[in-house]
Amino acid sequence: MDLDVLRNAPLFTHLDDEVFSALTAELTEVELSRGASVFHEGDDGDQLYVILTGKIKLGRTAPDGRENLLAILGPGEVFGEMALFNPAPRSASATAVSATSLAGLRHENLRKVIYSSPEVSMQLLGALARRLSRTNESLADLVFSDVPGRVAKALLDLADRFGRPTADGLLVAHDLTQEELAQLVGASRETVNKALAEFVQRDWLRLENRAVIILDLQRLRQRAR
Ligand code: CMP
């Protein structure tokens, strides 16, 4: 298990060495390939997960089968913690979008750490608060922004977390299909394709397989406003 990622994960970075090593003894490692499920919406669950490598999508399915993605999370980020504070079935499904490894921790083990380390509680509250403000923003975007604006915003958010500068531009290897990108912005695949084609035609970005290269960050930012 890559303990460096875990040590630097915001949740654990403030723990002293003794508490951290006691905690790592309780962890289980989970290896997933693209498309493999961690859990499904509605399942019972008593574990949370820290992403060590790869990416996880969190999504919900409507009664008619359509999917909506709540978030794409990457290394150092945590999911599956909600039932720790609000005992309820899993509020979303978690699926790997690339080869992914996770460290799983039982809620009861984290609960013990929370009682002894207030920093861990602060980290979890911070993560929940950030998630709430992102969700509020997505809700406002669904009401007030058009699809190209939402696509631009989603790409910039992915670029912030997964972007890597290259000689050609900012490479964002998001690992998502266009269908998944559409589920993330709450629009049809056709409308999202059209928005992407328009950005390509304007030379703002280039499309690669499950990745984009952003060529004009400033214009994309303006479009996202
Ligand atoms: P849990 O309900 O145990 O299982 C699904 C997980 O998805 C949940 O915990 C959170 O970790 C995560 N999750 C739920 N809603 C959101 C959201 N809006 N943004 C990011 N992550 C979420």
Side-chain angles (χ1 to χ4, degrees), residues 39 58 70-71 73 78-83 89-92 131 135:
F39 53 70
L58 294 160
L70 300 169
L73 303 183
V78 172
F79 65 95
E81 78 301 330
M82 275 171 54
R90 295 294 191 191
S91 58
R131 194 175 290 167
T135 304

Side-chain angles (χ1 to χ4, degrees), residues 12-155:
F12 298 135
T13 188
H14 292 101
L15 290 182
D16 61 43
D17 288 343
E18 202 180 323
V19 180
F20 179 71
S21 25
L23 199 65
T24 53
E26 313 282 357
L27 296 172
T28 47
E29 191 163 7
V30 183
E31 297 283 347
L32 302 156
S33 48
R34 177 178 162 82
S37 157
V38 187
F39 53 70
H40 292 104
E41 181 182 349
D43 286 354
D44 286 327
D46 64 351
Q47 281 203 83
L48 58 84
Y49 299 88
V50 184
I51 304 176
L52 301 175
T53 57
K55 295 184 191 74
I56 290 287
K57 64 174 179 181
L58 294 160
R60 296 173 61 113
T61 310
D64 65 4
R66 283 180 302 164
E67 266 208 62
N68 166 232
L69 292 186
L70 300 169
I72 308 293
L73 303 183
E77 293 186 283
V78 172
F79 65 95
E81 78 301 330
M82 275 171 54
L84 171 65
F85 303 109
N86 174 32
R90 295 294 191 191
S91 58
S93 300
T95 312
V97 291
S98 62
T100 296
S101 63
L102 307 173
L105 180 64
R106 294 174 69 84
H107 287 157
E108 64 187 61
N109 290 323
L110 187 66
R111 193 174 288 119
K112 282 185 225 150
V113 179
I114 287 174
Y115 289 136
S116 63
S117 310
E119 301 84 8
V120 171
S121 321
M122 289 305 290
Q123 279 302 330
L124 278 166
L125 288 169
L128 288 170
R130 281 190 295 278
R131 194 175 290 167
L132 182 60
S133 71
R134 285 173 79 107
T135 304
N136 288 349
E137 204 164 316
S138 302
L139 194 60
D141 289 341
L142 274 175
V143 177
F144 300 123
S145 298
D146 59 3
V147 173
R150 302 205 304 263
V151 172
K153 203 161 184 178
L155 291 176

